[in-house]
Amino acid sequence: MNPRIAFIAAPLLTLAYGVIRILDGLDGSRGPGLAWTTGHLAFIAAMGLFVYVFWQMRRMAGGNALSTVIAVIATAGALALATQFTIDVVAGLLSVDNLSMSLLTREIRDTPGVTLAAYDIGPYLFYVGQFALVVQLAVMRRIKVWTPFLVLCDLIMPNIDKDLIPLGAILLLVSFASISHRATSAASRPAPSATESIPTLV
């Protein structure tokens, strides 16, 4: 996959989820229904692309131990969020109204370990890992110095008001578009040949 596609599509799918979420709530409640399912599937797809992005960032950082650990943390967070949204999709498909959906979701969350992994701790690994990767790249001067600020704004906005998710996604799109240029250059850089990588003895 061209790295630029993932860097652009991930925030766009997050933006789509944010917009659909707002539209779904115009009648006073969210889900179940087509909007609920479509929005959540868009977000799950975004998580898959974010995982690809994280490992591209690791590659941009040189693939060292620190970037690898951070990428693993961020990936674990993306999987936790994907699990949370998958639960929402399943609950929506199996429910006839918002109340029954909420009750089913609560029942699933009561499964030992689910709340801790998919709600209380897991998702925060996504935010911490993503920000740490961007900061590392900025410190290494692999990306623009203002990029971590935009990423941080995107991460903070849903905690202020979830209706700000589309605005945060736009900021993330700007920052990721900038990163994608560097990622594409790194991906297209030819690997050293065998004769270049082996020192001569004469």
Side-chain angles (χ1 to χ4, degrees):
M1 178 189 293
N2 186 328
R4 187 171 297 180
I5 295 175
F7 276 95
I8 299 302
L12 283 179
L13 286 169
T14 305
L15 172 64
Y17 163 71
V19 172
I20 294 172
R21 179 186 175 278
I22 292 174
L23 296 176
D24 188 29
L26 292 179
D27 60 355
S29 65
R30 293 185 172 90
L34 180 61
W36 174 270
T37 302
T38 302
H40 280 67
L41 289 177
F43 192 84
I44 293 170
M47 289 302 103
L49 291 173
F50 271 112
V51 170
Y52 181 84
V53 164
F54 295 151
W55 290 90
Q56 285 297 314
M57 288 185 183
R58 170 191 172 274
R59 188 174 187 273
M60 293 172 65
N64 55 32
L66 178 59
S67 63
T68 300
V69 170
I70 298 174
V72 169
I73 291 173
T75 298
L79 294 176
L81 280 168
T83 300
Q84 180 185 139
F85 275 66
T86 299
I87 291 172
D88 288 344
V89 170
V90 172
L93 292 175
L94 297 178
S95 304
V96 295
D97 54 35
N98 187 270
L99 176 59
S100 60
M101 183 178 70
S102 299
L103 293 174
L104 180 56
T105 300
R106 185 178 303 174
E107 182 179 343
I108 297 173
R109 289 186 59 169
D110 286 341
T111 303
V114 171
T115 296
L116 188 66
Y119 293 88
D120 293 344
I121 294 181
Y124 293 100
L125 300 179
F126 171 81
Y127 304 120
V128 172
Q130 181 182 168
F131 184 64
L133 279 170
V134 175
V135 169
Q136 183 184 19
L137 290 175
V139 169
M140 297 174 72
R141 297 185 178 180
R142 304 288 170 86
I143 60 175
K144 302 293 186 180
V145 69
W146 47 262
T147 308
F149 174 73
L150 289 185
V151 172
L152 181 61
C153 289
D154 166 62
L155 299 179
I156 290 175
M157 283 187 177
N159 295 305
I160 298 174
D161 189 332
K162 289 186 177 181
D163 285 347
L164 293 176
I165 290 175
L167 178 58
I170 292 173
L171 295 179
L172 187 65
L173 177 61
V174 173
S175 59
F176 272 21
S178 175
I179 298 174
S180 71
H181 291 292
R182 306 295 182 93
T184 304
S185 299
S188 61
R189 190 178 298 125
S193 65
T195 55
E196 291 175 328
S197 59
I198 300 175
T200 59
L201 300 178
V202 294

